[in-house]
Amino acid sequence: MQTVELQLQSDQVSPELRELVLTLLSASKTIADKVRRGALAGVLGSAAQQNVQGETQKKLDVIANDILKQALLASAQVRALASEEEDNVVAANAEGGYVVAFDPLDGSSNIDINGQIGTIFTVYRAQDVASDSPEQFAQPGSAQVCAGYVLYGPSTQLALTTGGPSRLYTLDTDGQYVLTEAELAIAPDCQEYSINMSNQRHWAPDTQGYIQALQAGSEGPRGKDFNMRWNGAMVGDVHRVLMRGGIFLYPANTQSKIHNGKLRLLYEANPMAMLVAHAGGKAISGAQKILDIQPESLHQRVPVILGASNEVDEFSRQHH
Ligand code: AHM
Ligand code: MG
């Protein structure tokens, strides 16, 4: 039995980063416990307040954010943190060598239906600027030292990379994350796609053409049938891609509110792009690799197309 603690040691992850990852995981276990108890823990429903992006927060968004924030503020390794649920960068320990960004509870609309939800996180090296400066996070995804998510599903699972392979762990009843897939690998070809079809009329013509070709199946230009799956939680949809392949898309949208896609670069697109890249897949925003994007603001949104490498290439070929 290989616990995440032992695996991080054998992967020669520095003691400081190890400590930081274990702090994140300890917080995730507290969240997992509340998620599991659901209505019994009084965590369902709306918090009757909005975040900086104008989204109504659920109680569990706020609870998960507070659990992670308190844990990270108490860590000697953390210089600053950023969260979907925090307007600005929050300063932590001036001596810390790392900064952490997270989406405390991804897939908020699944909370009240007992659907898949998760915590997405990423770690960068702290920069030589004020702890609470947005510059701490003005680093491209290629500079991430660690990325992962915890999926609160029928099992609680952790996908994690510290620069080597993307690995999968499962939370045991004794509170240990145990290695269950040493190297996740996304096959280059696929027959499954994941997209919110209700936005179809708002997509760019190239995106509409690409999806129409998939829908045409074996009679169309692609010459094969495709299936479609959509969890409504990125963490669940990307997990499926990591487990059995496929392509996930949240493309640009002509609706003004999500003109540049819905998903956030810092704490959604980048960590997922790193996990996918370290499992042999690709992640792009259109013309650019997600991991190459130079961030312009903390809560910046980007189109996300990720998964099977040949399928992502096929999407690119149809977008000029
Ligand atoms: P959230 O972080 O507030 O939960 O929003 C992000 C989620 C993603 O998990 C998911 O891919 C997307 O929003 C689904 O959005 P929609 O159903 O509006 O298309
Ligand atoms: Mg999210």
Side-chain angles (χ1 to χ4, degrees):
M1 187 182 92
Q2 182 75 325
T3 63
V4 68
E5 284 89 338
L6 293 174
Q7 187 62 53
L8 291 171
Q9 274 177 37
S10 67
D11 285 344
Q12 300 186 329
V13 173
S14 72
E16 293 79 14
L17 183 56
R18 249 169 31 218
E19 186 188 307
L20 168 46
V21 170
L22 295 178
T23 299
L24 280 164
L25 298 186
S26 163
S28 78
K29 292 176 202 173
T30 310
I31 300 170
D33 189 52
K34 297 206 181 291
V35 168
R36 194 165 43 243
R37 295 193 62 234
L40 300 175
V43 298
L44 305 187
S46 168
Q49 63 189 50
Q50 290 193 340
N51 66 15
V52 67
Q53 298 160 75
E55 299 160 338
T56 301
Q57 292 172 308
K58 300 279 188 178
K59 274 190 210 162
L60 206 52
D61 285 325
V62 177
I63 292 167
N65 187 57
D66 285 347
I67 291 169
L68 283 158
K69 187 175 168 185
Q70 293 318 318
L72 294 171
L73 287 177
S75 164
Q77 311 306 336
V78 181
R79 178 91 55 94
L81 59 92
S83 160
E84 179 177 332
E85 310 302 339
E86 298 286 334
D87 300 6
N88 301 306
V89 173
V90 179
N93 187 322
E95 306 300 315
Y98 296 100
V99 296
V100 183
F102 53 89
D103 178 352
L105 224 284
D106 179 60
S108 305
S109 65
N110 277 357
I111 294 173
D112 293 344
I113 60 161
N114 203 10
Q116 287 187 323
I117 48 179
T119 298
I120 310 173
F121 58 88
T122 173
V123 181
Y124 291 85
R125 288 184 211 291
Q127 301 297 293
D128 201 10
V129 293
S131 296
D132 63 355
S133 166
E135 289 292 305
Q136 292 289 2
F137 292 95
Q139 309 185 46
S142 54
Q144 292 170 104
V145 295
C146 167
Y149 63 77
V150 174
L151 174 68
Y152 311 109
S155 302
T156 295
Q157 293 196 300
L158 162 72
L160 184 70
T161 173
T162 50
S166 294
R167 305 192 192 281
L168 186 72
Y169 304 83
T170 303
L171 184 61
D172 207 347
T173 45
D174 63 0
Q176 300 264 32
Y177 280 104
V178 177
L179 186 70
T180 44
E181 286 279 347
E183 288 198 27
L184 295 168
I186 303 172
D189 294 304
C190 70
Q191 288 186 252
E192 200 163 60
Y193 66 100
S194 186
I195 193 165
N196 184 343
M197 287 299 300
S198 71
N199 293 324
Q200 185 163 23
R201 69 191 186 284
H202 302 298
W203 298 333
D206 288 350
T207 306
Q208 300 212 21
Y210 168 76
I211 294 293
Q212 271 159 19
L214 301 189
Q215 289 176 318
S218 51
E219 290 101 60
R222 301 297 304 277
K224 63 177 180 179
D225 290 331
F226 285 81
N227 196 9
M228 197 199 83
R229 285 285 183 273
W230 178 252
N231 271 296
M234 183 195 206
V235 71
D237 285 312
V238 174
H239 183 68
R240 188 187 52 258
V241 168
L242 282 164
M243 297 311 293
R244 71 170 190 217
I247 184 168
F248 166 85
L249 310 97
Y250 214 110
N253 190 313
T254 54
Q255 278 176 320
S256 59
K257 210 175 147 213
I258 51 174
H259 183 64
N260 210 18
K262 180 180 182 191
L263 300 172
R264 273 59 52 116
L265 175 62
L266 179 59
Y267 39 80
E268 293 177 322
N270 270 337
M272 292 311 202
M274 183 177 183
L275 284 164
V276 163
H278 287 250
K282 290 188 176 176
I284 60 170
S285 67
Q288 221 179 354
K289 278 188 186 173
I290 285 175
L291 295 175
D292 289 344
I293 298 173
Q294 181 59 43
E296 286 164 9
S297 64
L298 206 57
H299 298 287
Q300 176 179 349
R301 296 174 193 265
V302 287
V304 173
I305 296 95
L306 61 75
S309 56
N310 289 345
E311 199 54 46
V312 173
D313 288 347
E314 184 61 34
F315 178 93
S316 297
R317 267 194 291 281
Q318 295 188 32
H319 286 69
H320 308 292

